């Protein structure tokens, strides 16, 4: 086999996907696997969205569109932005993409010269560092702590800024911590004079406390990433967008034309319907996630997996499993084999989360109950001796 580029060789597997894929393989072999791994809602999309897909396909909306997206969708996204963030943006500043993932990759490609640095709090979404590395950059991780509710230490972030820093990348609510950053933190970060990349894919998935403040409108150099995967349970539609500063639009358009051409037409039609008619469905899902969150946090604590502060947003719990082993990858695969429960090893989210396990509760309540029972049985009597 030939060798491949150093960059390609340095992209590490996305462990959430690895565990999920192994779980699917086991299910194919007849095992009753419970998936608490990838952040993929078990709910269908809003019913009107499904109807719209059929209508749009019948109407022949099965072709390419403008690379930046159908204008009516860009208008609907701008209206949604005003509604949710209280910030008015022109539809021209919206670039529609096939999920948040390609939007993140294009913006990394836009900003990074070889050796440039992107700062991000850790634990972090696994793909962020890999995207930065793929674009020739260097991810710089700024640790946060469970005991502090994963609130970003603004001073530490400021100290990490160097002449090579091109942006700060953050998500609030966050994956994997479910943490929401206080408004004061967001304001501080927006005032550091560094571009902000704000991944808002979990905006609105909030169960207690105050809604996250978007940095949009707080600083000029702000890119907002958002999409339909999580809030509307439309992961398989592959649809997202970036709201970008004006001078970034032309290069982003060129990249989109060359790399991806456009998102699918009928998928974009469906997204307009999600924005216009999906609110009730979103609220129904949010309420059910909250029920599951409470079940999961209480259940994990009972088993002895520490959750110092209950997450307030997104649909994940990051639990401290160090009582049961310091190697989270080995522990997650051991649990998968013995209990047939698919979880994500903390290592996926950086060294800061090694020894932790991430549980996704976008899975039915009864499945979570069953998973907790299996987990309790599998872990019983396997505690490591406490180091003196
Ligand atoms: N950003 C975060 C923080 C995520 O958790 C995910 C998916 O888990 C993504 C982006 C990817 O989203 P999309 O499905 O829109 O590509």
């Amino acid at each position: 086999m030939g060798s491949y580029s150093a960059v390609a060789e340095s992209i590490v597997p996305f462990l959430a996907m690895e565990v999920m894929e192994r779980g699917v393989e086991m299910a194919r072999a007849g095992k009753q696997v419970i998936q608490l791994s990838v952040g993929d809602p078990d709910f269908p999309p809003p019913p009107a969205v499904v109807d719209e897909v059929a209508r749009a396909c019948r109407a022949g909306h099965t072709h390419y569109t403008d690379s930046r997206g159908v204008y009516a969708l860009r208008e609907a996204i701008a209206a949604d932005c005003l509604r949710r963030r209280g910030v008015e943006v022109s539809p021209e500043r919206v670039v529609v993409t096939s999920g948040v993932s390609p939007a993140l990759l294009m913006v990394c490609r836009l900003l990074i010269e070889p050796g440039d640095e992107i700062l991000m709090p850790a634990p972090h979404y696994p793909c962020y560092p890999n995207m930065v590395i793929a674009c020739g950059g260097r991810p710089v991780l700024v640790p946060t702590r469970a005991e502090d509710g994963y609130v970003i230490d603004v001073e530490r972030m400021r100290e990490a800024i160097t002449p090579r820093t091109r942006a700060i990348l953050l998500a609030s609510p966050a994956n994997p911590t479910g943490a929401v950053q206080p408004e004061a933190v967001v304001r501080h970060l927006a005032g550091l004079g560094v571009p902000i990349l704000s991944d808002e894919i979990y905006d609105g998935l909030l169960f207690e406390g105050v809604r996250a403040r978007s940095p949009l409108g707080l600083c000029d150099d702000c890119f907002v990433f958002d999409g339909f995967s999580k809030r509307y349970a439309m992961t398989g539609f592959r649809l997202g967008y970036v709201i970008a500063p004006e001078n970034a639009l032309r290069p982003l358009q060129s990249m989109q034309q060359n790399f991806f051409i456009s998102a699918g037409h009928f998928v974009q039609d469906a997204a307009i319907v999600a924005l216009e008619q999906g609110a009730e469905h979103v609220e129904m899902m949010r309420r059910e996630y909250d029920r599951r969150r409470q079940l999961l946090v209480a259940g994990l604590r009972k088993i002895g997996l520490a959750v110092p502060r209950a997450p307030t947003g997104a649909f994940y719990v990051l639990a401290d499993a160090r009582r049961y082993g310091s190697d989270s990858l080995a522990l997650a695969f051991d649990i998968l084999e013995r209990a047939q429960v698919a979880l994500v090893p903390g290592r996926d989210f950086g060294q800061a989360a090694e020894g932790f396990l991430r549980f996704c509760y976008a899975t039915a309540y009864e499945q979570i109950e069953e998973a907790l029972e299996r987990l309790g049985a599998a872990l019983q009597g396997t505690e490591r001796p406490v180091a003196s």
Side-chain angles (χ1 to χ4, degrees), residues 325-333 344-348 353-357:
S326 55
D327 180 341
S328 61
L329 185 64
L331 185 60
F333 274 95
V344 184
R347 190 185 302 175
D348 211 15
E354 179 52 305
F356 286 62
L357 294 170

Side-chain angles (χ1 to χ4, degrees), residues 166-207:
R166 292 308 313 267
I168 296 170
L169 169 53
L170 68 131
S172 174
N175 174 6
T177 61
V180 176
Q181 296 301 322
E183 172 158 356
V185 167
V186 176
R187 285 188 179 277
H188 266 109
L189 295 175
L192 291 175
V194 171
I196 303 286
L197 313 185
S198 181
D199 183 347
E200 300 180 13
I201 194 165
Y202 295 104
D203 181 48
L205 284 169
L206 182 76
F207 312 108

Side-chain angles (χ1 to χ4, degrees), residues 115-355:
D116 279 350
E117 296 166 357
I118 304 290
L119 307 187
M120 61 189 78
H124 54 75
Y125 175 56
C127 308
Y128 293 157
N130 286 317
M131 290 186 183
V132 171
I133 290 167
C135 295
R138 213 169 69 79
V140 176
L141 310 183
V142 177
T144 60
R145 301 184 328 148
E147 304 83 282
D148 304 333
Y150 299 105
V151 170
I152 297 169
D153 180 337
V154 180
E155 238 354 83
R156 277 188 92 162
M157 189 66 86
R158 200 181 56 74
E159 284 163 10
I161 295 173
T162 74
R164 300 307 305 259
T165 304
R166 292 308 313 267
I168 296 170
L169 169 53
L170 68 131
S172 174
N175 174 6
T177 61
V180 176
Q181 296 301 322
E183 172 158 356
V185 167
V186 176
R187 285 188 179 277
H188 266 109
L189 295 175
L192 291 175
V194 171
I196 303 286
L197 313 185
S198 181
D199 183 347
E200 300 180 13
I201 194 165
Y202 295 104
D203 181 48
L205 284 169
L206 182 76
F207 312 108
E208 53 183 273
V210 182
R211 191 171 185 150
R213 173 68 161 90
S214 173
L216 190 70
L218 295 179
C219 59
D220 293 337
D221 236 348
C222 177
F223 294 77
V224 169
F225 302 86
D226 205 340
F228 297 84
S229 287
K230 314 291 179 177
R231 197 175 310 114
Y232 293 100
M234 289 167 63
T235 46
F237 283 63
R238 309 305 307 123
L239 199 68
Y241 55 89
V242 53
I243 300 172
E246 261 169 43
N247 55 0
L249 296 171
R250 193 69 182 122
L252 285 176
Q253 183 182 5
S254 299
M255 280 193 265
Q256 172 77 353
Q257 290 168 345
N258 278 280
F259 300 165
F260 307 108
I261 300 189
S262 76
H265 193 168
F266 59 90
V267 170
Q268 295 184 61
D269 288 344
I272 297 173
V273 170
L275 291 174
E276 289 175 350
Q277 300 178 41
E280 207 178 301
H281 194 73
V282 170
E283 179 53 18
M284 176 277 291
M285 292 189 283
R286 193 196 63 79
R287 264 192 258 116
E288 178 57 18
Y289 289 139
D290 190 21
R291 225 165 63 87
R292 297 171 182 183
R293 175 182 73 114
Q294 294 177 38
L295 169 72
L296 186 57
V297 170
L300 292 175
R301 285 175 174 161
K302 217 156 130 193
I303 294 172
L305 294 167
V307 185
R309 294 227 199 147
T312 57
F315 37 52
Y316 308 104
V317 179
L318 188 65
D320 187 344
R322 283 175 292 186
R323 274 180 71 176
Y324 297 105
S326 55
D327 180 341
S328 61
L329 185 64
L331 185 60
F333 274 95
D334 180 55
I335 291 170
L336 179 59
E337 295 303 326
R338 293 198 301 119
Q340 278 129 52
V341 177
L343 309 166
V344 184
R347 190 185 302 175
D348 211 15
F349 312 100
Q351 199 51 41
E354 179 52 305

